[in-house]
Amino acid sequence: IEIKPYFINDLQFVEGHYNSVLGPLKSEWHRDGNNIILTVTIPVGATASIIAGDVYTRVGSGTHTFTISNYTK
């Protein structure tokens, strides 16, 4: 699983979900001043690569929150 959101300037909030064979997968983000708060939920038994702004990491199942600081584009 790869989570690589695009932060569109005209949007303040985006949420998406997908019912995978392992369970629900969810990604959402919202703006908080110049920061973007990204929250992802990965189903049990899965891992995901998160690529967003200055964040590049792999995570296991569960809900994970990341802050992309001073995002301007």
Side-chain angles (χ1 to χ4, degrees), residues 3-7 36 38 49-57 66-69 71:
I3 307 290
K4 189 176 181 181
Y6 293 94
F7 305 121
I36 293 178
L38 170 66
S49 294
I50 312 299
I51 305 164
D54 59 356
V55 174
Y56 183 85
T57 191
F66 305 92
T67 299
I68 295 93
S69 300
Y71 185 83

Side-chain angles (χ1 to χ4, degrees), residues 14-67:
V14 173
E15 177 180 300
H17 66 276
Y18 174 74
N19 291 320
S20 76
V21 295
L22 293 175
L25 171 68
K26 183 176 177 183
S27 176
E28 64 181 57
W29 62 263
H30 69 272
R31 294 183 186 278
D32 182 15
N34 286 337
N35 300 326
I36 293 178
I37 310 302
L38 170 66
T39 302
V40 298
T41 301
I42 308 302
V44 172
T47 61
S49 294
I50 312 299
I51 305 164
D54 59 356
V55 174
Y56 183 85
T57 191
R58 283 192 64 76
V59 296
S61 60
T63 299
H64 309 274
T65 300
F66 305 92
T67 299

